[in-house]
Amino acid sequence: MVEKGRISGGQMALLLFVSTLGITVATIPYLAAKWAKQDMWLTPVPAAVSGLVAFFIAYFLHRRFPGETVIQCCPRIFGWFGKVIALVFLVTYIHANSLVIRIYADFVNGVFLRETPQVVVMGGMVLLCAAAVRGGLETVARATQFLALLTAGILGVVTLLSMPEWEMGNVLPILEHDLISVARGAAAPASWFNDFFLAAFLLPFVRKGDHAARWGVVGVVGSMLVLMLFHLIILFIVGNQSNKFLFPLFEAFRLISLSGFLEHVDAFLLAIWLFIIFVKISLMHYTIVLGAAQWLGLSDYKPLSLPIALILIAVAGWTVPNLTNLNQFFDGEFFVYNSLVQIVIPLALLAVAAIRGQKGKRGEEGGSWERYR
């Protein structure tokens, strides 16, 4: 077995919950406000529906093929062609993680460390995540648990500090335009809610009897509610200027000032976001490393952590010219591209397996894979 560690259903939900917030709290509010205007706070609702669909596809694949990730069940369903499908998943996740890394680097370089070479900013975070992944799934899960408690406390304090700046009338009138605008604004966050399909790489390692399905729903609903809160805070503070900033949440907190005594509250938000982005990159890195080891038929994924980290840094450097182009990609074809890989293809895998009556058994991990190597 490539992964010997085990996590609880709650740890799985926390990993997916924090990971989903990684990009959705950064540039996604700008795209939601662009289309939905003051109704941007409603966009997480349809986005969460997409996340639920992605999670339950992963869950039912897990029920049909216990103990196997999607990389392993692809060849069981489609034979040698399944290896090609599995490779599509890996390439897609490498690309997606490189986009996350690039957003992180562009933000840090543009707002805080303007003189620091971008490769240094990317390399520091990616190598830290690679070290965490090398420690195993349990290490990543426990680090997330520990840092989540600290982050929740900071977020609560920062939210309270922002309340004197709130203008709640900024959300009115509700649904001034139409539901189509809300749905269009939900496309970008839905792309990242689709990452709940990453449960397909975690469910095989969740302890028995931990109610994984229930925890998955908790993770999706929790992500939706937190994102709605962030969008409301943006509206309360920035109002109809939300679509003027690439990072509206940070701009909103930057405006907070308590009688000149306490300013630069956005620094606390940066600390929160650094933790969130660490979990996001670590989880996707773990997915890639584990999947690559299974695709290659290796008995241990940890030696791949550093080489793949270097590949991610290289890809992130040339994947897009700048943040403006990246936002255009997120606002357009990314939802179609992401949904194809994390909803349509997995749904096809599940449908074909159900039609053929194919099922796996516990203890067979890797068995079907070895036949098609």
Side-chain angles (χ1 to χ4, degrees), residues 19 21 24 48 53 123 138 149 155 157 207 221 232 243 255 270 275-276 302 311 327-328 330 340 347 355 357 370:
S19 173
L21 295 178
T24 53
V53 171
E138 287 185 356
L149 292 173
L155 178 59
V157 172
R207 300 186 190 98
V221 174
L232 284 170
N243 61 346
L255 296 175
L270 174 65
F275 155 66
I276 292 173
K302 295 178 182 179
I311 292 173
N327 273 328
Q328 290 174 350
F330 286 157
L340 175 65
L347 189 59
I355 292 170
E370 296 297 327

Side-chain angles (χ1 to χ4, degrees), residues 214-230:
R214 185 183 306 169
W215 278 112
V217 173
V218 169
V220 174
V221 174
S223 299
M224 179 191 74
L225 294 176
V226 171
L227 190 57
M228 288 178 74
L229 172 63
F230 283 147

Side-chain angles (χ1 to χ4, degrees), residues 24 28 43-44 46-51 54 183 185-196 227 334-335 338-339 342-343:
T24 53
I28 297 306
T43 58
V49 173
S50 184
S191 302
W192 296 104
F193 269 85
N194 286 348
D195 281 358
F196 271 88
L227 190 57
F334 185 61
F335 173 71
N338 189 283
S339 298
Q342 298 201 102
I343 291 182

Side-chain angles (χ1 to χ4, degrees), residues 39-105:
D39 293 321
M40 62 182 287
W41 65 279
L42 294 172
T43 58
V45 178
V49 173
S50 184
L52 283 173
V53 171
F55 173 78
F56 276 104
I57 292 173
Y59 178 73
F60 287 120
L61 274 173
H62 166 67
R63 289 288 300 271
R64 186 162 286 273
F65 300 101
E68 297 184 5
T69 69
V70 67
I71 300 297
Q72 292 172 300
C73 65
C74 280
R76 183 188 287 277
I77 298 170
F78 283 112
W80 65 268
F81 185 66
K83 292 185 69 174
V84 179
I85 298 174
L87 186 60
V88 168
F89 280 108
L90 292 177
V91 172
T92 300
Y93 287 135
I94 288 174
H95 180 232
N97 206 12
S98 71
L99 296 179
V100 175
I101 295 165
R102 184 57 182 270
I103 289 175
Y104 157 75

Side-chain angles (χ1 to χ4, degrees), residues 31 34-35 184-185 187-188 326-334:
L31 299 175
K34 173 184 173 182
W35 294 99
R184 183 63 183 84
L326 188 55
N327 273 328
Q328 290 174 350
F329 176 58
F330 286 157
D331 198 32
E333 58 268 28
F334 185 61

Side-chain angles (χ1 to χ4, degrees), residues 290-310:
L290 176 68
Q294 292 174 334
W295 196 86
L296 294 169
L298 303 179
S299 59
D300 188 8
Y301 65 86
K302 295 178 182 179
L304 296 178
S305 185
L306 179 58
I308 290 179
L310 298 177

Side-chain angles (χ1 to χ4, degrees), residues 257-271:
S257 176
L258 297 181
S259 303
F261 173 71
L262 181 62
E263 297 184 347
H264 301 295
V265 178
D266 54 307
F268 292 101
L269 191 63
L270 174 65

